[in-house]
């Protein structure tokens, strides 16, 4: 016999509770089997019983549900304290269902009808008390939620004093920005002080330039990015675009002056298509805009066209057509097809006094394993003492037969090879003989190097020898120099010193960022220092003369048990200045609801995890911090007067699972056969015993399994190693299905800058904003909405009108999913800047 109509809603609601309870019981039992929390099984039983009682019309269902809410609140506070987002994930579903149980629809169906009239009676004492109990439970959860919204357990409040150390700041950027990091020291600091904490809120957009270069062309890799930081020389800006065009702009108005297209070879097997910046050599000439002829804009470049494929070891003819017989000053552009091109800053023409008349050098010369696209430079070259020093990236996790990571120095006027440092043959730095090749598959430097011309050293951040997650066959040179910062003698290329940041790296913890050079006042003396940010969260502060740590570095025991045929280093170096996050636990897991949080807990306990440096495994290992890096190529900014660092730590966990290989034909990661003529497949590791599956550690809904925040801004004292302040940074406005501006703290990819005015700027968060901060305490002072992702490092300069400009590139990042664009945006104070 069918149930009376008034019971239909109770039965349906009860059924939902039973189904949810069963899901919690099944997942909870699985979690207990994996040695996890008992909460979910107990909660599932209570919820299922509550559903049965509700379907039968018993008021006791309301009491049971109230007990479940209060029990969950107590458990949530015990696990996460007054941390709003973890509390919300544990209680949001229960809270919403509880509100529904208090609605008149449920009340009317739980109140028995009059025996005489059949009409509903006024609420009985038992139902009133049960509803009041549930209301109190939900009110307690709401009150805790409201209180926790205003509590930030992750914030570190502090402030730097106004006192400046005695050390002189040394050479810094000022009205110009002549190198990627401001100067060759890589400080990302400007001596300009027109913009201050008092007036930065008045910044307004001065001009916008659109390059016309956007991702989405045929053959673009997923990681097609606009990461350029322009140079400012005279009254000109010079920048490069993802598809390798070089553009000159008027720095005050944003008007395009000239454009050069190198016509990069097509059908390249690129993992990344980007250009982080150019390099400048002033020569003996005046600044570019001092010559009258330079002020007139050149005709627009011809439409892009694919020229003939370059041949390794042979000069490649320029395709642009504009040439300059002699270039006293030069711009250097590294290309995705393995060239470095010298351009005339005045006209954008190719410098025919460089590269044997071609205006370029071929980086494929003397390279092993020549495959177009498997070696190229994404970062600007170093200019110092009449040399350009060039590194490059090799393909990650494709095979064990890749190009060399050799570092080479070329004569800045002619392009002649002066020295080469090959980590597989580190003592022989004389130019390699014709017919010989460099060491294959050696550690490479894909990031930006720094230089101290007075000490005569270039500081090179090195990556790993592929494959990144298995090192059983690594060479002696790779073991010594992988994941290190290496100081090379400018004159000879020989190693002056090296410091390894990770021993036997199995986690893709390349040294990702430009070393930052700063003079520190320590022990009453001025010490030339180098600060090296790392993916694992260490900031190593070293004496740049010797590589000796200035802040203590301790070797700490590391987890053991590497994969078959490999080993794990017994210890790893940890700096006194470390952003290493606390280890993850089951309580650290997160989700939009208790159900995907449960899924994350189950997955957490299925993975191998013994803290940082857990070796990759066939079981699957949780790598935290992941290879996205606490710090990546954006690096840090330092104030050489205050001797402090403005940093942007990011925390994301990744999963690394080794997949045993039986042959070099099958695509183990992508699940098919590899055609003979196919492009390399990422993470297949042809020639190694294992392929590797790499992924972010996310819930079934695609959210990070670890609780937020995932991104911060933080300030550190470089003399003491103290992190003085830390604040979560950025919102999920552009990362969530609904554009909600919750300030959860989001990842950052793109570096900060600092200024003498006491303001720092950052645009690299995953929401589309550029922000300004007070360097004393990290307080946000200003923000402006960007039309696309800002995954580049800003810069600042003085225009011809006397105003200080902030320049931001907004072009997005393919693999991060930020909005694509082609924008170069300048901001300045209104009027005369005062």
């Amino acid at each position: 016999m069918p149930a009376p109509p008034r019971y239909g809603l109770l039965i349906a609601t009860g059924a939902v509770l039973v189904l949810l309870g069963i899901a919690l019981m099944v997942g909870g039992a699985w979690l207990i089997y994996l040695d996890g929390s008992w909460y979910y099984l107990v909660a599932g039983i209570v919820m299922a019983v509550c559903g049965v009682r509700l379907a039968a019309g018993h008021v006791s269902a309301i009491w049971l549900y109230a007990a479940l809410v209060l029990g969950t609140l107590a458990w949530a506070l015990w696990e996460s304290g007054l941390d709003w987002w973890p509390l919300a994930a544990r209680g949001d579903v229960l809270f919403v269902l509880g509100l529904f149980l208090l609605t008149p629809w449920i009340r009317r169906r739980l109140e028995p009808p009059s025996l005489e009239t059949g009409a509903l009676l006024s609420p009985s004492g038992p139902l009133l008390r049960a509803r009041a109990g549930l209301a109190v439970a939900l009110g307690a959860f709401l009150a805790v939620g409201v209180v926790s919204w205003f509590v930030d357990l992750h914030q570190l409040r502090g402030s730097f004093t106004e006192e400046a150390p005695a050390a002189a700041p040394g050479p810094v950027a000022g009205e110009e920005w002549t190198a990627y990091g401001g100067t060759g020291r890589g400080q990302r600091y400007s001596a300009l002080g027109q913009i201050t904490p008092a007036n930065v809120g008045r910044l307004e957009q001065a001009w916008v330039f659109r390059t016309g270069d956007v991702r989405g062309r045929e053959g673009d890799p997923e990681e097609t990015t606009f990461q350029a930081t322009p140079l400012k020389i005279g009254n000109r800006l010079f920048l490069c675009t993802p598809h390798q065009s070089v553009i000159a702009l008027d720095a005050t108005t944003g008007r395009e002056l000239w454009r050069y297209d190198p016509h990069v070879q097509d059908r390249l097997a690129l993992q990344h298509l980007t250009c982080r910046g150019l390099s400048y050599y002033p020569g003996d000439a005046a600044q570019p805009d001092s010559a009258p002829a330079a002020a007139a804009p050149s005709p627009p470049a011809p439409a892009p066209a694919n020229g003939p494929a370059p041949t390794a070891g042979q000069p490649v003819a320029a395709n642009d057509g504009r040439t300059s017989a002699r270039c006293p000053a030069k711009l250097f552009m590294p290309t995705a097809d393995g060239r470095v091109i010298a351009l005339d800053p005045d006209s954008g023409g190719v410098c025919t006094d460089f590269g044997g008349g071609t205006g370029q050098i071929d980086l494929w010369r003397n390279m092993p394993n020549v495959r177009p696209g498997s070696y190229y430079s994404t970062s600007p070259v170093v200019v110092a003492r009449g040399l350009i020093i060039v590194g490059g990236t090799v393909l990650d996790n494709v095979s064990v037969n890749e190009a060399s990571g050799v570092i080479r120095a070329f004569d800045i006027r002619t392009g002649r090879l002066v020295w080469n440092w090959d980590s597989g043959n580190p003592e022989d730095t004389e130019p390699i003989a014709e017919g010989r090749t460099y060491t294959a598959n050696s550690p490479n430097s894909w990031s930006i190097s720094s230089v101290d011309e007075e000490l005569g050293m270039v500081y090179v951040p090195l990556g790993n020898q592929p494959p990144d997650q298995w090192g059983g066959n690594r060479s002696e040179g790779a073991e010594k120099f992988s994941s290190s910062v290496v100081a090379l003698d400018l004159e000879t290329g020989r190693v002056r010193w090296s410091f390894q940041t990770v021993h036997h790296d199995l986690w893709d913890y390349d040294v990702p960022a430009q070393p930052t050079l700063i003079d520190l006042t320590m022990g009453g003396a001025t010490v030339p220092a180098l600060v090296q940010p790392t993916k694992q969260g260490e900031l190593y502060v070293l004496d740049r003369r010797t590589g000796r740590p200035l802040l203590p570095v301790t070797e700490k025991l590391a987890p053991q048990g590497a994969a078959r045929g490999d080993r794990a280093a017994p210890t790893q170096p940890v700096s006194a200045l470390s952003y290493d996050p606390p280890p993850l636990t089951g309580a650290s897991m997160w989700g939009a609801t208790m159900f995907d949080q449960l899924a994350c807990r189950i997955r957490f306990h299925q993975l191998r995890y013994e803290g940082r440096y857990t070796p990759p495994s066939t079981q699957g290992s949780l790598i935290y911090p992941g290879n996205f890096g606490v710090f990546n190529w954006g690096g840090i900014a330092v104030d050489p007067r205050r001797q402090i660092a403005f940093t942007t730590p990011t925390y994301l966990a990744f999963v690394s699972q080794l997949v045993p290989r039986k042959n070099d034909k099958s695509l183990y990661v992508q699940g098919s056969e590899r055609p003979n003529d196919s492009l390399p497949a990422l993470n297949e590791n042809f020639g190694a015993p294992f392929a590797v599956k790499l992924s972010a550690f996310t819930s079934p809904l695609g959210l990070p399994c670890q609780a937020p925040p995932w991104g911060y801004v933080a300030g550190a004292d470089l003399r003491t190693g103290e992190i003085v302040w830390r604040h979560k940074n950025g919102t999920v406005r552009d990362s969530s299905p609904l554009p909600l501006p919750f300030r959860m703290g989001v990842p950052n990819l793109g570096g900060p800058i600092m200024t003498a005015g006491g303001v720092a700027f950052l645009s690299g968060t995953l929401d589309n904003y550029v922000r300004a901060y007070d360097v004393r305490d990290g307080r946000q002072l200003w923000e402006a909405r960007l039309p696309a992702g800002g995954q580049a490092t800003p810069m600042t300069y003085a225009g011809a009108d006397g105003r200080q400009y902030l320049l931001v590139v907004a072009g997005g990042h393919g693999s991060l999913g930020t909005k694509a664009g082609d924008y170069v945006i300048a901001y300045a104070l209104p009027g005369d800047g005062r």
Side-chain angles (χ1 to χ4, degrees):
M1 183 174 180
R6 75 182 192 88
Y7 286 118
L9 181 61
L10 294 181
I11 293 173
T13 305
V16 169
L17 291 177
V18 169
L19 290 174
L20 294 179
I22 291 173
L24 289 175
M25 283 191 287
V26 172
W30 192 359
L31 185 60
I32 292 171
Y33 173 76
L34 296 171
D35 201 26
S37 172
W38 282 69
Y39 163 78
Y40 295 93
L41 176 62
V42 174
I45 293 172
V46 174
M47 187 176 286
V49 172
C50 179
V52 172
R53 302 294 290 172
L54 185 67
H58 289 285
V59 173
S60 59
I62 306 299
W63 281 114
L64 274 174
Y65 199 87
L68 176 60
V69 171
L70 287 175
T72 298
L73 176 59
W75 168 75
L77 287 170
W78 175 71
E79 277 207 330
S80 58
L82 290 173
D83 197 347
W84 197 90
W85 290 104
L87 286 173
R90 289 161 171 81
D92 51 5
V93 170
L94 292 180
F95 190 83
V96 171
L97 288 174
L99 290 178
F100 181 72
L101 293 179
L102 288 178
T103 61
W105 305 308
I106 298 296
R107 178 186 65 78
R108 287 196 297 265
R109 286 159 176 80
L110 282 176
E111 192 62 41
S114 166
L115 295 177
E116 297 179 0
T117 66
L120 291 178
L121 299 173
S122 59
S124 65
L127 181 57
L128 274 175
R129 289 191 291 272
R131 285 166 53 83
L134 179 55
V136 168
L138 294 176
F141 220 125
L142 179 62
V144 169
V146 170
V147 170
S148 66
W149 184 259
F150 296 99
V151 174
D152 190 348
L153 300 180
H154 306 278
Q155 180 173 250
L156 175 62
R157 292 184 181 274
S159 179
F160 293 104
T161 65
E162 291 295 330
E163 296 181 8
V172 296
E175 293 189 357
E176 298 186 331
W177 194 273
T178 58
Y180 175 82
T183 69
R185 290 189 167 207
Q187 295 178 344
R188 294 164 187 79
Y189 172 83
S190 171
L192 298 178
Q194 188 180 97
I195 300 172
T196 69
N199 63 25
V200 67
R202 299 174 56 219
L203 280 180
E204 60 185 22
Q205 187 172 288
W207 53 260
V208 178
F209 174 78
R210 301 195 65 174
T211 68
D213 187 333
V214 294
R215 67 174 181 254
R217 300 182 187 179
E218 183 179 359
D220 280 1
E222 180 183 18
E223 213 161 273
T224 300
T225 65
F226 194 6
Q227 295 177 349
T229 297
L231 304 181
K232 194 266 186 176
I233 315 293
N235 192 43
R236 289 191 171 188
L237 295 170
F238 301 102
L239 66 137
C240 52
T241 69
H243 294 93
Q244 317 288 281
S245 291
V246 180
I247 301 173
L249 304 176
D250 183 291
T252 308
T253 66
R255 178 172 61 94
E256 181 173 337
L257 302 176
W258 55 255
R259 180 181 298 234
Y260 172 80
D261 183 354
H263 302 298
V264 171
Q265 178 189 1
D266 64 357
R267 295 188 58 79
L268 297 173
L270 300 172
Q271 289 178 351
H272 316 273
L273 181 58
T274 191
C275 177
R276 295 190 179 94
L278 306 166
S279 305
Y280 174 70
Y281 170 60
D284 299 323
Q287 296 294 350
D289 278 4
S290 63
S298 301
N306 293 314
T311 302
Q314 299 296 324
V316 184
N319 291 326
D320 190 80
R322 292 195 310 276
T323 59
S324 175
R326 182 176 179 274
C327 300
K330 292 181 175 68
L331 286 173
F332 293 98
M333 165 68 185
T335 68
D337 55 6
R339 296 175 284 162
V340 176
I341 302 174
L343 300 176
D344 182 353
D346 286 349
S347 66
V350 173
C351 299
T352 56
D353 57 348
F354 183 81
T358 67
Q360 55 196 299
I361 51 179
D362 180 8
L363 299 180
W364 276 110
R365 189 181 293 274
N366 299 102
M367 272 289 180
N369 301 320
V370 176
R371 293 190 301 275
S374 63
Y375 175 86
Y376 51 101
S377 290
T378 59
S379 298
V381 305
V382 170
V383 171
R385 285 195 182 180
L387 301 172
I388 60 168
I389 297 141
V390 187
T393 184
V394 302
L395 293 177
D396 269 345
N397 297 338
V398 170
S399 78
V400 299
N401 299 301
E402 297 299 328
S404 176
V406 62
I407 308 299
R408 287 171 282 189
F410 300 90
D411 185 281
I412 205 162
R413 297 170 184 83
T414 66
R416 174 182 59 87
L417 181 64
V418 176
W419 54 256
N420 36 233
W421 180 71
D422 181 347
S423 63
N425 187 20
E427 300 301 320
D428 185 6
T429 61
E430 292 294 321
I432 194 170
E434 286 296 327
R436 292 183 55 202
T437 57
Y438 299 112
T439 303
N441 217 44
S442 55
N444 65 94
S445 182
W446 56 266
S447 191
I448 306 100
S449 296
S450 297
V451 64
D452 186 328
E453 295 193 59
E454 291 183 4
L455 292 177
M457 282 185 270
V458 58
Y459 303 95
V460 182
L462 285 179
N464 211 345
Q465 182 181 63
D468 289 317
Q469 284 75 26
W470 189 84
N473 292 336
R474 287 182 185 159
S475 65
E476 179 181 351
E479 288 290 77
K480 181 176 181 179
F481 294 111
S482 283
S483 302
S484 298
V485 55
V486 179
L488 301 179
D489 187 279
L490 274 174
E491 184 176 348
T492 66
R494 295 177 69 86
V495 176
R496 297 270 288 270
W497 58 260
S498 67
F499 179 88
Q500 191 164 63
T501 66
V502 185
H503 307 319
H504 194 66
D505 184 359
L506 302 176
W507 304 273
D508 192 18
Y509 283 160
D510 298 345
V511 182
Q514 182 179 22
T516 297
L517 312 186
I518 182 174
D519 296 335
L520 297 178
T521 303
M522 306 182 78
T526 299
V527 183
L530 176 149
V531 184
Q532 183 59 67
T534 65
K535 285 185 178 181
Q536 64 271 27
E538 306 303 305
L539 257 62
Y540 296 102
V541 182
L542 311 175
D543 187 322
R544 68 176 182 267
R545 298 168 297 188
T546 64
R548 178 180 62 85
L550 295 174
L551 294 181
V553 174
T554 305
E555 291 286 338
K556 294 192 175 181
L557 293 176
Q560 299 298 290
R564 170 176 47 86
D566 204 351
R567 64 178 182 85
T571 64
Q572 295 291 352
V574 176
S575 173
L577 179 47
S578 176
Y579 290 83
D580 183 26
L584 296 174
T585 65
S588 308
M589 297 301 101
W590 188 73
T593 69
M594 63 194 307
F595 296 98
D596 53 319
Q597 183 189 59
L598 172 58
C600 284
R601 285 185 183 246
I602 291 171
R603 183 61 176 145
F604 173 77
H605 285 282
Q606 288 176 321
L607 295 169
R608 181 182 176 187
Y609 179 64
E610 299 160 36
R612 190 166 67 162
Y613 301 117
T614 300
S617 62
T618 53
Q619 169 189 350
S621 293
L622 187 59
I623 310 301
Y624 184 64
N627 64 341
F628 185 88
V630 177
F631 301 106
N632 209 295
W633 53 263
I636 63 173
V638 302
D639 183 326
R641 185 177 64 85
R642 293 181 175 92
Q643 302 190 10
I644 62 177
F646 184 94
T647 66
T648 59
T650 290
Y651 299 107
L652 288 174
F654 277 68
V655 176
S656 176
Q657 183 177 12
L658 299 177
V659 182
R661 299 192 61 85
K662 294 182 180 178
N663 58 65
D664 282 353
K665 186 72 173 176
S666 298
L667 295 177
Y668 285 81
V669 175
Q670 299 185 9
S672 63
E673 290 292 310
R674 179 191 185 201
N676 290 329
D677 60 348
S678 70
L679 297 178
L682 183 62
N683 299 331
E684 292 291 346
N685 295 339
F686 295 107
F690 298 95
V692 61
K693 291 182 178 179
L694 296 172
S695 61
F697 183 39
T698 57
S699 77
L701 298 180
L703 298 172
C705 270
Q706 74 203 71
W710 307 296
Y712 297 87
V713 290
D717 188 323
L718 294 172
R719 296 165 294 160
T720 65
E722 179 189 5
I723 299 173
V724 174
W725 53 259
R726 181 185 64 234
H727 309 290
K728 60 187 180 184
N729 184 57
T731 72
V732 293
R733 171 172 176 172
D734 298 300
S735 305
S736 58
L738 297 175
L740 301 174
F742 292 138
R743 190 172 292 276
M744 297 175 68
V746 296
N748 166 80
L749 191 61
I753 62 170
M754 298 175 78
T755 68
V759 181
F761 295 97
L762 174 69
S763 66
T765 49
L766 295 192
D767 55 352
N768 302 334
Y769 286 95
V770 55
R771 295 183 171 96
Y773 311 83
D774 190 321
V775 302
R776 294 170 297 183
D777 56 15
R779 179 170 49 95
Q780 183 177 312
L781 303 170
W782 167 83
E783 69 179 15
R785 184 80 173 145
L786 297 175
Q791 280 68 58
T793 302
M795 50 87 77
T796 186
Y797 62 90
D801 56 1
R803 293 196 292 174
Q804 180 182 353
Y805 286 81
L806 167 70
L807 195 77
V808 178
V809 164
H813 193 289
S815 61
L816 293 183
T818 53
K819 184 178 179 181
D822 61 343
Y823 299 87
V824 181
I825 307 172
Y827 300 88
L829 296 172
D832 60 4
R834 290 191 291 270

